[in-house]
Amino acid sequence: MNFIRRVLMVLGIAGAAGAILRLKGRSEPSSTRGGWRPMPPLDGESADPSSAKQ
């Protein structure tokens, strides 16, 4: 019986530590990660695509 209590206690401590580390690791909001970023126009290209070819 003592062995089962020790195993459950260790699993509980490990689970609590994992949850704390997981919550502490979220320093950056997920909406700012990844995604598309605007690129500056290359040399010789205009910023307005409608006037590129007429």
Side-chain angles (χ1 to χ4, degrees):
M1 192 68 178
N2 278 341
F3 178 73
I4 294 174
R5 284 183 186 165
R6 284 185 183 179
V7 168
L8 290 176
M9 184 177 68
V10 167
L11 288 175
I13 291 172
I20 289 171
L21 289 175
R22 209 176 155 152
L23 291 175
K24 261 195 165 301
R26 295 183 186 177
S27 61
E28 180 182 343
S30 61
S31 62
T32 60
R33 278 191 246 155
W36 293 90
R37 293 189 180 98
M39 291 181 60
L42 298 174
D43 292 337
E45 292 183 4
S46 88
D48 186 16
S50 64
S51 65
K53 290 183 180 179
Q54 287 186 358

